Amino acid sequence: MPSDPQHQTYDVIIIGGAMMGSSVAWWLSQSAEFQGRVLVVERDPSFAQSSTAHTNSCIRQQFSEALNVRISQFTAEFIKNLRVNMGNDPRVEDLHIQDFGYLYLADSEQIADTLRGAYALQRSLGAGTRLLTRDEIAAAFPFYQLDDILLGSHGIRDEGYWDGGALFDWFRRKALAAGVEYVHAEVTGIERTPSQVTSVTLGSGQRLSCGHLVNATGPRAGHVAQLAGLSIPVEPRKRFTWIVKAALPLDRELPLTIDPSGVHMRQDGPETYMIGARPGPDLAVDPTDFHMDHNLWESHVWPIVATRIPQFEQLKIVTEWAGHYAFNTLDQNAILGPHTDLRNFHFINGFSGHGLQQAPAMGRGLAELITTGRFQTMDLTAFGYDRIPAGRPFGERAVI
């Protein structure tokens, strides 16, 4: 990735070149209405510290808000038809979703009622969700210990694991092929008037003028907003992942199981399982902090896993890592579109773990806003910045 931009002026500058930035860049490059010049500025061309690189790469239909369900449905169709969407390029992989589904477990009537309400919504939108009694869960998945469980909600279509890395790679490669410019640099300053961004300054001291500026910096989004004198409630929060082998493997695929404790686990490979958890307390961290809390596994995560699935009493850790959620402290959902006063400063931030599965729709939506001034294919207005200063949360309750 070169370090020096080819031009001094760009119609759109995107700060951050991982999944979100590359999605916006690709959609702009495909728009018949947009003929402008696009620059993507990426501080780490290896993407090693990006949320994209640390994702668990899953998709689900089980949300409590219709808009989030529709976004995931669009992504499911987009990735299953990726080669067609990428111009029938024969190099593009045939992607599919490994449909083991998510299984939400309810241990209280309150949680069960939430699952029932979400189920009705999801089914009305065509999702393949099914509600399972305790006995039905036991019949389908006899390895669980279910003494405390009242109800389960299981997705059986377009819900599970997929190759998010391949989608990111093709967004970026196709954007480059279409003329989008990527540079290895860091934005250290943003110049503005009261109503618009005028230019950005790179670490080299070079100043670049822009028509639109996009903040696609994941967990660093709050810092980039501050460069323009803005504030958003997005902060880096750690999420831990373990890949394990079991001494006694299960006799069937493990759905992505969301335990009432918040620990989740799923099939990873033929003989491996993925387990994820948040730290306690769940606080903001430095965006360069990827330190693993090894005590968390022994004292908290493994006991929960072994209690829920007694066959997992003997597990061997194969690998482990820490990644970051770009955590929206208001409502754990995306902030998309322009600032209310600085109209050419655009957010695509705060996905709080939903980012990979929402990237195609969100990138398309923001490209439409930049190009035409409004959403064309899916109304994403509910994610707008205006709800942030108003303290008006987006109502999604199915947050992991």
Side-chain angles (χ1 to χ4, degrees):
M1 192 179 293
S3 300
D4 297 321
Q6 298 175 17
H7 306 281
Q8 295 298 313
T9 301
Y10 292 87
D11 296 277
V12 181
I13 293 179
I14 301 170
I15 309 176
M19 179 64 95
M20 288 301 167
S22 289
S23 176
V24 176
W26 181 77
W27 283 106
L28 284 171
S29 76
Q30 301 303 298
S31 173
E33 291 83 11
F34 181 79
Q35 303 298 322
R37 186 181 290 155
V38 180
L39 175 70
V40 178
V41 181
E42 173 53 51
R43 64 185 301 276
D44 175 19
S46 75
F47 300 101
Q49 293 190 349
S50 67
S51 294
T52 301
H54 294 99
T55 179
N56 290 353
S57 202
C58 292
I59 185 171
R60 59 186 164 107
Q61 311 293 314
Q62 292 188 72
F63 288 94
S64 68
E65 288 288 327
L67 185 52
N68 277 335
V69 178
R70 293 191 183 102
I71 288 170
S72 283
Q73 289 173 333
F74 171 74
T75 296
E77 292 305 311
F78 187 87
I79 61 181
K80 289 188 295 183
N81 296 283
L82 184 62
R83 182 176 296 165
V84 174
N85 291 321
M86 293 291 162
N88 288 306
D89 188 331
R91 299 172 299 167
V92 177
E93 301 93 322
D94 285 322
L95 295 190
H96 68 281
I97 298 169
Q98 187 175 346
D99 286 320
F100 46 64
Y102 281 56
L103 176 61
Y104 285 83
L105 298 176
D107 64 351
S108 70
E109 281 297 341
Q110 181 181 5
I111 298 175
D113 284 343
T114 298
L115 294 181
R116 292 185 187 104
Y119 163 80
L121 169 73
Q122 293 153 18
R123 295 291 293 187
S124 74
L125 296 171
T129 311
R130 57 178 182 167
L131 292 181
L132 301 175
T133 66
R134 180 192 300 165
D135 290 344
E136 288 171 333
I137 299 171
F141 308 106
F143 43 76
Y144 291 120
Q145 189 287 115
L146 299 168
D147 290 349
D148 59 331
I149 298 303
L150 305 178
L151 188 71
S153 180
H154 184 218
I156 58 175
R157 184 172 63 251
D158 290 340
E159 195 165 278
Y161 168 83
W162 59 288
D163 189 351
L167 177 62
F168 163 54
D169 186 49
W170 283 110
F171 272 150
R172 185 167 57 93
R173 290 172 68 177
K174 288 295 188 176
L176 283 163
V180 173
E181 187 181 344
Y182 281 66
V183 294
H184 173 202
E186 184 169 5
V187 171
T188 57
I190 296 174
E191 294 74 42
R192 53 167 291 188
T193 68
S195 61
Q196 67 177 356
V197 172
T198 56
S199 63
V200 302
T201 300
L202 305 183
S204 64
Q206 186 174 6
R207 181 175 290 183
L208 306 172
S209 299
C210 61
H212 296 270
L213 185 65
V214 176
N215 182 354
T217 54
R220 296 175 179 268
H223 167 70
V224 170
Q226 287 174 3
L227 294 177
L230 307 177
S231 176
I232 54 173
V234 177
E235 59 190 34
R237 293 201 182 179
K238 274 188 180 179
R239 293 296 181 264
F240 298 105
T241 301
W242 297 265
I243 305 297
V244 301
K245 278 192 171 184
L248 297 172
L250 306 177
D251 65 353
R252 63 202 73 188
E253 281 192 332
L254 174 64
L256 199 157
T257 307
I258 297 92
D259 190 81
S261 66
V263 172
H264 54 89
M265 60 202 91
R266 70 162 172 88
Q267 195 79 27
D268 182 62
E271 298 181 351
T272 56
Y273 305 93
M274 178 180 284
I275 299 169
R278 65 174 67 91
D282 187 13
L283 303 174
V285 298
D286 187 276
T288 64
D289 178 6
F290 292 91
H291 176 74
M292 282 295 295
D293 181 355
H294 299 288
N295 182 61
L296 183 67
W297 171 262
E298 292 289 342
S299 64
H300 178 66
V301 177
W302 175 77
I304 289 172
V305 172
T307 298
R308 183 62 61 203
I309 303 178
Q311 278 181 245
F312 282 0
E313 187 175 359
Q314 297 182 58
L315 295 176
K316 178 182 179 181
I317 296 175
V318 177
T319 189
E320 59 189 3
W321 66 86
H324 294 152
Y325 271 10
F327 193 88
N328 179 351
T329 61
L330 175 66
D331 58 18
Q332 292 84 70
N333 275 267
I335 306 169
L336 184 74
H339 188 270
T340 47
D341 298 322
L342 204 61
R343 298 299 295 176
N344 66 339
F345 186 105
H346 302 274
F347 301 98
I348 184 166
N349 306 119
F351 287 86
S352 307
H354 306 153
L356 198 74
Q357 63 188 299
Q358 295 193 330
M362 296 296 196
R364 180 183 65 173
L366 187 52
E368 290 170 352
L369 273 181
I370 291 171
T371 302
T372 71
R374 63 186 182 90
F375 295 117
Q376 301 283 339
T377 51
M378 186 183 299
D379 187 356
L380 302 172
T381 305
F383 295 112
Y385 173 82
D386 61 323
R387 80 182 195 279
I388 303 302
R392 186 179 69 250
F394 183 74
E396 182 60 59
R397 291 179 290 173
V399 176
I400 301 174

